[in-house]
Amino acid sequence: MNEHAAASAPVADEADVIVVGAGPGGSAAAYHMAKHGLRVLLLEKTTFPREKVCGDGLTPRATRQLIRMGVDTSVKAGWLQNRGLRVIGGGVRLELDWPDLASFPNYGLVRTRLDFDDMLAAKAAEAGALLRTGVNVSGPVLDDDGRAIGVRAKVGLEKEPVEYRAPLVVAADGVSGKLPLAMGLAKRDDRPIGVAVRRYFRSPVRADDDYLESWLELRSAQDRNRLLPGYGWIFGLGDGRVNVGLGILNSSSAFGRTNYRAMLTDWLATTPPDWGMNDEANADGPTLGAALPMGFNRVPHYTRGLMLVGDSGGMVNPMNGEGIAYAMESGELAAEVAVQALARPAGADRERALHAYPAQLKLRFGGYYRIGGVFVKMIGNPQIMRIATKHGMPHPMLMRFVLKLLANLTDPRDGDAMDRIINGLTKAAPSA
């Protein structure tokens, strides 16, 4: 149904841009837009602090985006810094430090989403964005040409209907993508998607680890010779707890046909008793899960007054399941485009500028995500995964190359031979 301006709900807080969703992508977009002088209205359906499932462990790519928002990432400021990735598989345990690059810091970070998202939303507000929580956006307000000119929402416990107006709307509403769906943008079935589940455990032995740990092989406690589908992770939170979880991709035959929570319990039963992860008494909260929309699985990223940022536009990296870095990068890019576009008069000239957003996203990530799609199909085959683990893991040089590729950490210019190979591959690959 075309939701026109003549609705009965009162109109409030008109702005230059409305950003729907105060997760990392929405807050980054709001921050950079406000910094450039735009009047930004940032709407969040929940109140802070609030729990989120994925993303406690951040790579240097995400760390760079935090620094660009003026966030203090020091240990004094409450962050747990990590040196790199510990990979376990094929009987090998390999510690790989994050690469030393001009373009990215050489450390990653850990912080729970409980206060991470709160911190970023506060940063956006400090920059000048007007943050409103408890605002549940139900759909766009459209003009006679089907262009988004605002959003409809229900506010507070009373669920009062309200409309907010702006010439540009940013959908940062996560996997559900309520706004894009209302604009006719459905998910693409030909793009990868993953599912992740995680749980917190009290584990003094593992809580202060300075590496993120990735398990390429998960074994069943019921039959140690049987490999479980998917991959796992363990990393400390620095507060006596660990984040433990597993992910599985839709290229696996087990996708959608597996009890992931039971599988996590089965795998953790194989871990050493002193880690505390095979004892329910050490659990801190339930096992929670989330979908990982990958490789631009919803497009176009701009249409009729609506820009898509982060999970709303399916921007999770297919190579490693990382979403926060790409949500924040797409938010910053959306801000750069929006500032230029809104400086132009409404009409064809402004639209031309706004269409630079999907073009720039494709240029930055399109080839890389296309390679990621091939990678997902390959590792979905257990035999290929077993061979790759067995023959790749014993070679540290090869694994350092793999780390750079999977984490998307290269210098665009003046990089080493590994950087040049990866950059060449992503440029040569057709855009996703």
Side-chain angles (χ1 to χ4, degrees):
M1 183 176 75
N2 204 29
E3 299 293 341
H4 297 290
S8 58
V11 177
D13 296 316
E14 294 190 72
D16 296 319
V17 186
I18 294 169
V19 179
V20 179
S27 290
Y31 170 86
H32 290 289
M33 288 173 179
K35 274 294 222 187
H36 283 90
L38 294 181
R39 294 175 304 147
V40 183
L41 183 59
L42 177 58
L43 305 178
E44 167 60 36
K45 68 181 178 182
T46 63
T47 55
F48 291 107
R50 55 116 162 94
E51 184 67 280
K52 279 281 186 175
V53 178
C54 293
D56 295 350
L58 305 173
T59 70
R61 194 167 192 108
T63 303
R64 180 182 69 167
Q65 291 307 118
L66 289 171
I67 293 168
R68 290 175 70 83
M69 285 182 65
V71 174
D72 180 356
T73 61
S74 69
V75 175
K76 279 184 181 177
W79 296 90
L80 180 65
Q81 296 187 353
N82 58 70
R83 297 172 51 189
L85 186 68
R86 181 184 301 114
V87 187
I88 296 172
V92 177
R93 182 178 180 274
L94 190 62
E95 289 185 348
L96 301 165
D97 287 354
W98 299 120
D100 285 314
L101 299 167
S103 305
F104 298 94
N106 65 351
Y107 63 95
L109 297 166
V110 172
R111 192 155 189 150
T112 68
R113 294 289 296 274
L114 187 64
D115 68 344
F116 177 81
D117 288 22
D118 193 2
M119 180 193 313
L120 295 190
K123 271 287 177 187
E126 283 172 27
L130 179 58
L131 171 64
R132 293 204 175 279
T133 59
V135 179
N136 194 349
V137 172
S138 52
V141 176
L142 306 178
D143 67 13
D144 291 333
D145 297 320
R147 178 188 175 84
I149 56 169
V151 296
R152 290 175 288 111
K154 292 184 178 175
V155 179
L157 295 174
E158 296 78 20
K159 298 185 178 177
E160 279 185 54
V162 178
E163 285 185 4
Y164 301 93
R165 299 285 176 79
L168 185 62
V169 178
V170 174
D173 50 354
V175 180
S176 64
K178 196 183 293 184
L179 266 180
L181 280 172
M183 295 282 285
L185 303 180
K187 291 177 186 174
R188 290 183 57 157
D189 293 332
D190 62 336
R191 298 294 160 88
I193 190 166
V195 171
V197 294
R198 71 105 173 102
R199 197 173 194 188
Y200 294 144
F201 282 88
R202 289 178 291 277
S203 176
V205 174
R206 297 298 312 271
D208 297 309
D209 196 347
D210 57 0
Y211 284 86
L212 302 177
E213 192 166 275
S214 178
W215 291 56
L216 304 184
E217 294 178 339
L218 308 179
R219 299 203 174 266
S220 167
Q222 299 165 38
D223 179 1
R224 296 295 180 111
N225 294 317
R226 182 167 72 90
L227 282 177
L228 300 168
Y231 60 93
W233 65 81
I234 299 171
F235 57 84
L237 298 175
D239 60 2
R241 298 180 301 162
V242 290
N243 178 320
V244 187
L246 58 84
I248 189 167
L249 300 164
N250 64 346
S251 56
S252 168
S253 59
F255 185 84
R257 301 191 296 116
T258 301
N259 183 330
Y260 305 119
R261 288 170 174 79
M263 190 166 80
L264 179 62
T265 302
D266 189 14
W267 166 48
L268 292 180
T270 68
T271 59
D274 63 335
W275 290 6
M277 300 171 205
N278 50 20
D279 186 348
E280 186 67 22
N282 294 323
D284 184 25
T287 303
L288 300 175
L292 305 175
M294 298 174 168
F296 292 162
N297 81 335
R298 186 182 274 122
V299 290
H301 291 116
Y302 170 74
T303 183
R304 295 173 289 140
L306 183 74
M307 303 173 99
L308 310 188
V309 159
D311 286 1
S312 175
M315 296 185 198
V316 174
N317 181 351
M319 300 273 204
N320 68 355
E322 180 180 20
I324 285 179
Y326 301 92
M328 294 180 73
E329 279 190 58
S330 62
E332 184 178 13
L333 182 57
E336 291 171 7
V337 171
V339 168
Q340 293 298 324
L342 292 173
R344 303 182 181 193
D349 200 23
R350 180 181 290 177
E351 284 300 299
R352 192 177 304 114
L354 286 167
H355 277 96
Y357 176 60
Q360 288 294 321
L361 277 175
K362 268 194 170 186
L363 195 63
R364 189 178 296 194
F365 301 127
Y368 179 80
Y369 281 173
R370 179 56 64 93
I371 294 170
V374 174
F375 172 80
V376 165
K377 287 177 183 173
M378 288 174 61
I379 66 169
N381 183 320
Q383 286 182 308
I384 292 177
M385 187 64 176
R386 198 173 292 119
I387 292 168
T389 301
K390 181 180 177 182
H391 295 287
M393 284 287 291
H395 300 284
M397 179 80 74
L398 174 61
M399 292 305 293
R400 279 194 289 274
F401 174 83
V402 170
L403 176 68
K404 280 193 165 191
L405 175 64
L406 299 193
N408 199 7
L409 295 173
T410 62
D411 275 328
R413 296 182 186 84
D414 303 322
D416 61 15
M418 292 182 186
D419 292 0
R420 290 193 290 274
I421 292 169
I422 293 169
N423 295 338
L425 285 171
T426 57
K427 282 178 184 172
S431 289

